[in-house]
Amino acid sequence: MTATIIDGKIIAAEVRAEAKVEVEKFVSLYNTNPCLAVVLVGENPASQVYVRTKSKMAKEIGMDIEDHIKDKDISEKDLIDLIAQLNNDKKVNGILVQLPLPEHIDSRVIIDAIDPIKDADGFHALNVGRNSIGGDLLKKSFVPCTPLGCYLMLKKNIPNLAGMHAVIIGRSNIVGKPMAQLLLEESCTVTTVHSKTKDIETITRQADILVAAVGRPLMVKADWIKPGAVVIDVGINRVENPSDTSKTMLVGDVDYVNAMSVASAITPVPGGVGPMTIACLLRNTVQAAFRQKISKI
Ligand code: GUN
């Protein structure tokens, strides 16, 4: 078997095109562009790249972007004050605080300071709670961008996910936990495995859908995968290039080359989940802009 490649670049372009249509609708109705405020603290190179890419993609669909770049030594209080200012700014529809934050700042305090209706990342406790309850409350919440991207890619390949066994490797608040909730909502049987799980391979081999979100290069070997499974690789790991050690390259959490002969479909790295995350951020932001016109939360 050779797996079908699930091309995140193509699906992300579709999500961005849909978001662009919504932006145009918003502009014609309200005579102002939806606006995303991005807060970046410190000089983490990966975060700087993400923030630049977000700005570029947002501008391409007609969304305004405000970058708030802050020194790594900013106090928690000053950051909370900035969030309060963005919450009160009518021009700002979405707020994203790039994670990770420096250690002296409690990320949970900062995230929960964001007005939930401007929480483009879907990380605020109210949105997390609504996502967990599911049902109609999903319409009022924002779903975190990376698991939403994975979900949209899965649904493109398998419109009816009910009854499938989904195994998620990783239990982070950004990916693993919200991914599990989205798949439960689709009536999957969901198992989450993590660093303390015993004999992970035995569990992953039962997965019809395998989502790897651990940040460990090439951890998932071909013999961890059930033949015919759909594999979503969230990992983006920079490693030394074996054919030229002076260079680096990006690899996922899955041993992609060997997994190709076992899985029925798989996302590549790069070009899989990565582009979907930003596309879903734009989608969430324009949704937030519309919701702010009709309700408080
Ligand atoms: N850092 C890594 N992924 C994310 C994300 O989806 N949102 C934010 N705010 N920070 C991140």
Side-chain angles (χ1 to χ4, degrees), residues 47-276:
S47 295
Q48 287 174 328
V49 172
Y50 287 139
V51 167
R52 270 201 301 274
T53 314
K54 278 167 194 159
S55 294
K56 180 172 167 282
M57 298 275 175
K59 282 177 193 148
E60 275 174 18
I61 66 157
M63 188 177 280
D64 287 347
I65 280 275
E66 269 185 15
D67 283 336
H68 296 265
I69 315 285
K70 297 291 163 188
D71 191 87
K72 67 179 186 336
D73 296 322
I74 187 173
S75 69
E76 192 170 284
K77 176 173 181 313
D78 285 352
L79 200 50
I80 292 171
D81 289 348
L82 171 61
I83 302 292
Q85 179 198 316
L86 298 173
N87 284 342
N88 291 327
D89 186 342
K90 287 214 159 43
K91 166 82 187 118
V92 171
N93 303 113
I95 302 171
L96 175 140
V97 178
Q98 185 66 35
L99 301 176
L101 288 170
E103 282 197 351
H104 68 280
I105 296 174
D106 183 338
S107 310
R108 184 39 55 196
V109 169
I110 301 303
I111 290 166
D112 285 344
I114 296 171
D115 184 336
I117 207 167
K118 295 191 176 184
D119 175 29
D121 256 328
F123 292 166
H124 188 285
L126 183 74
N127 287 315
V128 174
R130 285 178 169 166
N131 290 331
S132 162
I133 294 165
D136 278 352
L137 282 179
L138 277 176
K139 295 191 198 108
K140 285 180 132 194
S141 79
F142 296 104
V143 175
C145 307
T146 301
L148 178 58
C150 297
Y151 168 82
L152 294 175
M153 287 198 288
L154 274 172
K155 285 289 274 186
K156 273 247 161 198
N157 275 266
I158 316 169
N160 182 7
L161 297 167
M164 303 192 88
H165 186 189
V167 175
I168 297 158
I169 314 177
R171 54 174 156 175
S172 69
N173 289 322
I174 295 183
V175 187
K177 287 183 201 167
M179 188 78 238
Q181 280 159 354
L182 279 173
L183 294 175
L184 265 181
E185 195 66 18
E186 287 289 317
S187 302
C188 288
T189 301
V190 179
T191 306
T192 302
V193 299
H194 49 77
S195 55
K196 298 284 189 289
T197 302
K198 298 195 176 86
D199 200 7
I200 287 190
E201 305 92 291
T202 307
I203 302 169
T204 59
R205 277 196 281 269
Q206 297 168 33
D208 303 308
I209 296 165
L210 183 59
V211 181
V214 267
R216 292 184 57 184
L218 312 180
M219 181 178 100
V220 178
K221 307 296 175 207
D223 65 359
W224 292 31
I225 299 169
K226 176 176 168 177
V230 175
V231 178
I232 306 286
D233 190 352
V234 182
I236 301 178
N237 309 291
R238 190 162 285 285
V239 297
E240 202 174 77
N241 188 331
S243 49
D244 180 352
T245 52
S246 67
K247 295 210 171 91
T248 61
M249 62 188 282
L250 292 178
V251 296
D253 292 346
V254 178
D255 179 0
Y256 178 77
V257 173
N258 294 311
M260 282 289 284
S261 53
V262 185
S264 65
I266 188 166
T267 60
V269 177
V273 175
M276 291 299 290

